[in-house]
PDB file of all heavy atoms in Angstrom:
ATOM      1  N   CYS A 168     -73.790-188.385  24.017  1.00 98.00           N
ATOM      2  CA  CYS A 168     -72.421-188.777  23.944  1.00 98.00           C
ATOM      3  C   CYS A 168     -72.336-190.140  23.180  1.00 98.00           C
ATOM      4  O   CYS A 168     -72.964-191.111  23.629  1.00 98.00           O
ATOM      5  CB  CYS A 168     -71.798-188.917  25.315  1.00 98.00           C
ATOM      6  SG  CYS A 168     -71.790-187.337  26.136  1.00 98.00           S
ATOM      7  N   VAL A 169     -71.561-190.133  22.090  1.00 97.00           N
ATOM      8  CA  VAL A 169     -71.431-191.265  21.197  1.00 97.00           C
ATOM      9  C   VAL A 169     -70.012-191.566  20.979  1.00 97.00           C
ATOM     10  O   VAL A 169     -69.265-190.670  20.466  1.00 97.00           O
ATOM     11  CB  VAL A 169     -72.243-191.053  19.893  1.00 97.00           C
ATOM     12  CG1 VAL A 169     -72.031-192.226  19.017  1.00 97.00           C
ATOM     13  CG2 VAL A 169     -73.685-190.791  20.146  1.00 97.00           C
ATOM     14  N   GLU A 170     -69.577-192.763  21.361  1.00 96.00           N
ATOM     15  CA  GLU A 170     -68.149-193.065  21.153  1.00 96.00           C
ATOM     16  C   GLU A 170     -67.865-193.562  19.704  1.00 96.00           C
ATOM     17  O   GLU A 170     -68.748-193.883  19.003  1.00 96.00           O
ATOM     18  CB  GLU A 170     -67.739-194.206  22.169  1.00 96.00           C
ATOM     19  CG  GLU A 170     -68.304-195.622  21.907  1.00 96.00           C
ATOM     20  CD  GLU A 170     -69.759-195.751  22.263  1.00 96.00           C
ATOM     21  OE1 GLU A 170     -70.457-194.752  22.593  1.00 96.00           O
ATOM     22  OE2 GLU A 170     -70.291-196.901  22.179  1.00 96.00           O
ATOM     23  N   ARG A 171     -66.574-193.635  19.430  1.00 92.00           N
ATOM     24  CA  ARG A 171     -66.058-194.131  18.133  1.00 92.00           C
ATOM     25  C   ARG A 171     -66.427-193.261  16.883  1.00 92.00           C
ATOM     26  O   ARG A 171     -65.611-192.780  16.171  1.00 92.00           O
ATOM     27  CB  ARG A 171     -66.503-195.565  17.864  1.00 92.00           C
ATOM     28  CG  ARG A 171     -65.900-196.471  18.916  1.00 92.00           C
ATOM     29  CD  ARG A 171     -66.292-197.928  18.610  1.00 92.00           C
ATOM     30  NE  ARG A 171     -66.220-198.768  19.827  1.00 92.00           N
ATOM     31  CZ  ARG A 171     -65.107-199.326  20.288  1.00 92.00           C
ATOM     32  NH1 ARG A 171     -63.963-199.148  19.687  1.00 92.00           N
ATOM     33  NH2 ARG A 171     -65.117-200.019  21.371  1.00 92.00           N
ATOM     34  N   ILE A 195     -77.075-187.128  27.438  1.00 98.00           N
ATOM     35  CA  ILE A 195     -77.544-188.522  27.189  1.00 98.00           C
ATOM     36  C   ILE A 195     -76.318-189.435  27.102  1.00 98.00           C
ATOM     37  O   ILE A 195     -75.475-189.261  26.253  1.00 98.00           O
ATOM     38  CB  ILE A 195     -78.365-188.563  25.922  1.00 98.00           C
ATOM     39  CG1 ILE A 195     -79.493-187.458  25.929  1.00 98.00           C
ATOM     40  CG2 ILE A 195     -79.015-189.958  25.724  1.00 98.00           C
ATOM     41  CD1 ILE A 195     -80.196-187.277  24.647  1.00 98.00           C
ATOM     42  N   ILE A 196     -76.261-190.503  27.960  1.00 98.00           N
ATOM     43  CA  ILE A 196     -75.196-191.440  27.937  1.00 98.00           C
ATOM     44  C   ILE A 196     -75.788-192.846  27.765  1.00 98.00           C
ATOM     45  O   ILE A 196     -76.795-193.154  28.350  1.00 98.00           O
ATOM     46  CB  ILE A 196     -74.420-191.404  29.284  1.00 98.00           C
ATOM     47  CG1 ILE A 196     -73.980-190.009  29.650  1.00 98.00           C
ATOM     48  CG2 ILE A 196     -73.303-192.381  29.351  1.00 98.00           C
ATOM     49  CD1 ILE A 196     -72.717-189.532  28.896  1.00 98.00           C
ATOM     50  N   GLY A 197     -75.123-193.656  26.967  1.00 98.00           N
ATOM     51  CA  GLY A 197     -75.590-195.061  26.754  1.00 98.00           C
ATOM     52  C   GLY A 197     -75.192-195.932  27.949  1.00 98.00           C
ATOM     53  O   GLY A 197     -74.498-195.596  28.878  1.00 98.00           O
ATOM     54  N   PRO A 198     -75.772-197.207  27.897  1.00 98.00           N
ATOM     55  CA  PRO A 198     -75.448-198.212  28.957  1.00 98.00           C
ATOM     56  C   PRO A 198     -74.050-198.856  28.672  1.00 98.00           C
ATOM     57  O   PRO A 198     -73.363-198.464  27.711  1.00 98.00           O
ATOM     58  CB  PRO A 198     -76.568-199.203  28.871  1.00 98.00           C
ATOM     59  CG  PRO A 198     -76.894-199.142  27.369  1.00 98.00           C
ATOM     60  CD  PRO A 198     -76.663-197.729  26.866  1.00 98.00           C
ATOM     61  N   GLU A 199     -73.736-199.870  29.435  1.00 97.00           N
ATOM     62  CA  GLU A 199     -72.398-200.526  29.342  1.00 97.00           C
ATOM     63  C   GLU A 199     -72.119-200.985  27.824  1.00 97.00           C
ATOM     64  O   GLU A 199     -71.036-200.723  27.356  1.00 97.00           O
ATOM     65  CB  GLU A 199     -72.348-201.817  30.179  1.00 97.00           C
ATOM     66  CG  GLU A 199     -72.182-201.541  31.672  1.00 97.00           C
ATOM     67  CD  GLU A 199     -73.484-201.549  32.435  1.00 97.00           C
ATOM     68  OE1 GLU A 199     -74.562-201.423  31.758  1.00 97.00           O
ATOM     69  OE2 GLU A 199     -73.448-201.536  33.646  1.00 97.00           O
ATOM     70  N   GLY A 200     -73.114-201.428  27.170  1.00 96.00           N
ATOM     71  CA  GLY A 200     -72.889-201.969  25.812  1.00 96.00           C
ATOM     72  C   GLY A 200     -73.016-200.856  24.769  1.00 96.00           C
ATOM     73  O   GLY A 200     -72.939-201.105  23.574  1.00 96.00           O
ATOM     74  N   GLY A 201     -73.259-199.561  25.207  1.00 97.00           N
ATOM     75  CA  GLY A 201     -73.403-198.533  24.266  1.00 97.00           C
ATOM     76  C   GLY A 201     -74.779-198.522  23.602  1.00 97.00           C
ATOM     77  O   GLY A 201     -75.623-199.357  23.903  1.00 97.00           O
ATOM     78  N   PHE A 202     -74.993-197.634  22.713  1.00 97.00           N
ATOM     79  CA  PHE A 202     -76.294-197.606  21.981  1.00 97.00           C
ATOM     80  C   PHE A 202     -76.228-198.631  20.899  1.00 97.00           C
ATOM     81  O   PHE A 202     -75.191-198.872  20.320  1.00 97.00           O
ATOM     82  CB  PHE A 202     -76.480-196.129  21.398  1.00 97.00           C
ATOM     83  CG  PHE A 202     -76.692-195.085  22.439  1.00 97.00           C
ATOM     84  CD1 PHE A 202     -75.750-194.076  22.627  1.00 97.00           C
ATOM     85  CD2 PHE A 202     -77.859-195.101  23.203  1.00 97.00           C
ATOM     86  CE1 PHE A 202     -75.916-193.115  23.611  1.00 97.00           C
ATOM     87  CE2 PHE A 202     -78.050-194.168  24.213  1.00 97.00           C
ATOM     88  CZ  PHE A 202     -77.129-193.169  24.320  1.00 97.00           C
ATOM     89  N   VAL A 219     -71.883-185.872  20.390  1.00 98.00           N
ATOM     90  CA  VAL A 219     -70.535-185.413  20.667  1.00 98.00           C
ATOM     91  C   VAL A 219     -69.609-186.587  21.045  1.00 98.00           C
ATOM     92  O   VAL A 219     -70.129-187.636  21.518  1.00 98.00           O
ATOM     93  CB  VAL A 219     -70.451-184.330  21.759  1.00 98.00           C
ATOM     94  CG1 VAL A 219     -71.321-183.127  21.451  1.00 98.00           C
ATOM     95  CG2 VAL A 219     -70.885-184.917  23.098  1.00 98.00           C
ATOM     96  N   SER A 220     -68.362-186.325  20.956  1.00 98.00           N
ATOM     97  CA  SER A 220     -67.324-187.306  21.417  1.00 98.00           C
ATOM     98  C   SER A 220     -66.647-186.734  22.749  1.00 98.00           C
ATOM     99  O   SER A 220     -66.490-185.486  22.869  1.00 98.00           O
ATOM    100  CB  SER A 220     -66.273-187.420  20.300  1.00 98.00           C
ATOM    101  OG  SER A 220     -65.102-188.042  20.888  1.00 98.00           O
ATOM    102  N   LEU A 221     -66.342-187.679  23.620  1.00 98.00           N
ATOM    103  CA  LEU A 221     -65.592-187.294  24.810  1.00 98.00           C
ATOM    104  C   LEU A 221     -64.111-187.654  24.621  1.00 98.00           C
ATOM    105  O   LEU A 221     -63.354-187.618  25.607  1.00 98.00           O
ATOM    106  CB  LEU A 221     -66.133-188.024  26.026  1.00 98.00           C
ATOM    107  CG  LEU A 221     -67.564-187.729  26.370  1.00 98.00           C
ATOM    108  CD1 LEU A 221     -68.117-188.684  27.418  1.00 98.00           C
ATOM    109  CD2 LEU A 221     -67.751-186.258  26.871  1.00 98.00           C
ATOM    110  N   GLY A 222     -63.705-187.838  23.392  1.00 97.00           N
ATOM    111  CA  GLY A 222     -62.258-188.110  23.179  1.00 97.00           C
ATOM    112  C   GLY A 222     -62.056-189.430  22.530  1.00 97.00           C
ATOM    113  O   GLY A 222     -63.009-190.192  22.256  1.00 97.00           O
ATOM    114  N   ASN A 223     -60.810-189.723  22.186  1.00 96.00           N
ATOM    115  CA  ASN A 223     -60.479-191.000  21.513  1.00 96.00           C
ATOM    116  C   ASN A 223     -60.552-192.269  22.320  1.00 96.00           C
ATOM    117  O   ASN A 223     -60.525-193.382  21.828  1.00 96.00           O
ATOM    118  CB  ASN A 223     -59.091-190.858  20.835  1.00 96.00           C
ATOM    119  CG  ASN A 223     -59.089-189.875  19.699  1.00 96.00           C
ATOM    120  OD1 ASN A 223     -60.100-189.703  19.080  1.00 96.00           O
ATOM    121  ND2 ASN A 223     -57.948-189.201  19.519  1.00 96.00           N
ATOM    122  N   LEU A 224     -60.571-192.084  23.645  1.00 97.00           N
ATOM    123  CA  LEU A 224     -60.619-193.280  24.499  1.00 97.00           C
ATOM    124  C   LEU A 224     -62.105-193.697  24.695  1.00 97.00           C
ATOM    125  O   LEU A 224     -62.958-192.815  24.728  1.00 97.00           O
ATOM    126  CB  LEU A 224     -60.015-193.005  25.813  1.00 97.00           C
ATOM    127  CG  LEU A 224     -58.499-192.608  25.755  1.00 97.00           C
ATOM    128  CD1 LEU A 224     -57.955-192.059  27.040  1.00 97.00           C
ATOM    129  CD2 LEU A 224     -57.704-193.810  25.273  1.00 97.00           C
ATOM    130  N   ILE A 225     -62.274-194.985  24.844  1.00 97.00           N
ATOM    131  CA  ILE A 225     -63.660-195.458  25.183  1.00 97.00           C
ATOM    132  C   ILE A 225     -63.782-195.581  26.614  1.00 97.00           C
ATOM    133  O   ILE A 225     -63.044-196.271  27.311  1.00 97.00           O
ATOM    134  CB  ILE A 225     -63.861-196.841  24.495  1.00 97.00           C
ATOM    135  CG1 ILE A 225     -63.541-196.897  22.992  1.00 97.00           C
ATOM    136  CG2 ILE A 225     -65.342-197.344  24.719  1.00 97.00           C
ATOM    137  CD1 ILE A 225     -64.279-195.880  22.164  1.00 97.00           C
ATOM    138  N   LEU A 226     -64.709-194.747  27.182  1.00 98.00           N
ATOM    139  CA  LEU A 226     -64.825-194.682  28.629  1.00 98.00           C
ATOM    140  C   LEU A 226     -65.948-195.624  29.030  1.00 98.00           C
ATOM    141  O   LEU A 226     -66.873-195.929  28.345  1.00 98.00           O
ATOM    142  CB  LEU A 226     -65.264-193.289  29.025  1.00 98.00           C
ATOM    143  CG  LEU A 226     -64.336-192.131  28.510  1.00 98.00           C
ATOM    144  CD1 LEU A 226     -64.948-190.794  28.900  1.00 98.00           C
ATOM    145  CD2 LEU A 226     -62.942-192.253  29.054  1.00 98.00           C
ATOM    146  N   ARG A 227     -65.793-196.149  30.271  1.00 98.00           N
ATOM    147  CA  ARG A 227     -66.919-196.852  30.855  1.00 98.00           C
ATOM    148  C   ARG A 227     -68.115-195.921  31.017  1.00 98.00           C
ATOM    149  O   ARG A 227     -67.899-194.696  31.144  1.00 98.00           O
ATOM    150  CB  ARG A 227     -66.622-197.441  32.240  1.00 98.00           C
ATOM    151  CG  ARG A 227     -65.549-198.505  32.243  1.00 98.00           C
ATOM    152  CD  ARG A 227     -65.147-198.863  33.647  1.00 98.00           C
ATOM    153  NE  ARG A 227     -66.263-199.526  34.270  1.00 98.00           N
ATOM    154  CZ  ARG A 227     -66.243-200.774  34.631  1.00 98.00           C
ATOM    155  NH1 ARG A 227     -65.096-201.500  34.469  1.00 98.00           N
ATOM    156  NH2 ARG A 227     -67.261-201.355  35.240  1.00 98.00           N
ATOM    157  N   ALA A 228     -69.276-196.400  30.947  1.00 98.00           N
ATOM    158  CA  ALA A 228     -70.447-195.574  30.963  1.00 98.00           C
ATOM    159  C   ALA A 228     -70.462-194.619  32.191  1.00 98.00           C
ATOM    160  O   ALA A 228     -70.855-193.427  32.026  1.00 98.00           O
ATOM    161  CB  ALA A 228     -71.776-196.410  30.971  1.00 98.00           C
ATOM    162  N   ALA A 231     -68.018-191.941  31.603  1.00 98.00           N
ATOM    163  CA  ALA A 231     -68.524-191.037  30.558  1.00 98.00           C
ATOM    164  C   ALA A 231     -69.570-190.083  31.170  1.00 98.00           C
ATOM    165  O   ALA A 231     -69.505-188.826  30.897  1.00 98.00           O
ATOM    166  CB  ALA A 231     -69.141-191.832  29.458  1.00 98.00           C
TER     167      ALA A 231
HETATM  168  N1  SAH B   1     -69.360-201.080  24.448  1.00 70.60           N
HETATM  169  C1  SAH B   1     -69.176-199.832  23.725  1.00 70.60           C
HETATM  170  C2  SAH B   1     -68.806-198.736  24.743  1.00 70.60           C
HETATM  171  C3  SAH B   1     -69.934-198.170  25.457  1.00 70.60           C
HETATM  172  S1  SAH B   1     -69.378-196.963  26.578  1.00 70.60           S
HETATM  173  C4  SAH B   1     -68.074-200.018  22.743  1.00 70.60           C
HETATM  174  O1  SAH B   1     -67.228-200.824  23.030  1.00 70.60           O
HETATM  175  O2  SAH B   1     -68.121-199.356  21.724  1.00 70.60           O
HETATM  176  C5  SAH B   1     -70.958-196.474  27.311  1.00 70.60           C
HETATM  177  C6  SAH B   1     -71.426-195.143  26.910  1.00 70.60           C
HETATM  178  O3  SAH B   1     -70.467-194.138  27.347  1.00 70.60           O
HETATM  179  C7  SAH B   1     -71.597-194.852  25.445  1.00 70.60           C
HETATM  180  O4  SAH B   1     -72.906-195.247  24.996  1.00 70.60           O
HETATM  181  C8  SAH B   1     -71.403-193.340  25.402  1.00 70.60           C
HETATM  182  O5  SAH B   1     -72.636-192.678  25.726  1.00 70.60           O
HETATM  183  C9  SAH B   1     -70.362-193.085  26.492  1.00 70.60           C
HETATM  184  N2  SAH B   1     -69.026-192.962  26.009  1.00 70.60           N
HETATM  185  C10 SAH B   1     -67.933-193.704  26.310  1.00 70.60           C
HETATM  186  N3  SAH B   1     -66.844-193.285  25.754  1.00 70.60           N
HETATM  187  C11 SAH B   1     -67.159-192.226  24.985  1.00 70.60           C
HETATM  188  C12 SAH B   1     -66.467-191.389  24.179  1.00 70.60           C
HETATM  189  N4  SAH B   1     -65.145-191.450  23.927  1.00 70.60           N
HETATM  190  N5  SAH B   1     -67.170-190.362  23.567  1.00 70.60           N
HETATM  191  C13 SAH B   1     -68.464-190.197  23.698  1.00 70.60           C
HETATM  192  N6  SAH B   1     -69.215-190.997  24.510  1.00 70.60           N
HETATM  193  C14 SAH B   1     -68.553-191.978  25.167  1.00 70.60           C
END
Side-chain angles (χ1 to χ4, degrees):
C168 295
V169 177
E170 71 284 7
R171 297 180 204 279
I195 306 169
I196 306 282
E199 284 93 347
F202 293 112
V219 304
S220 166
L221 295 170
N223 290 330
L224 299 168
I225 308 300
L226 308 175
R227 290 174 71 114

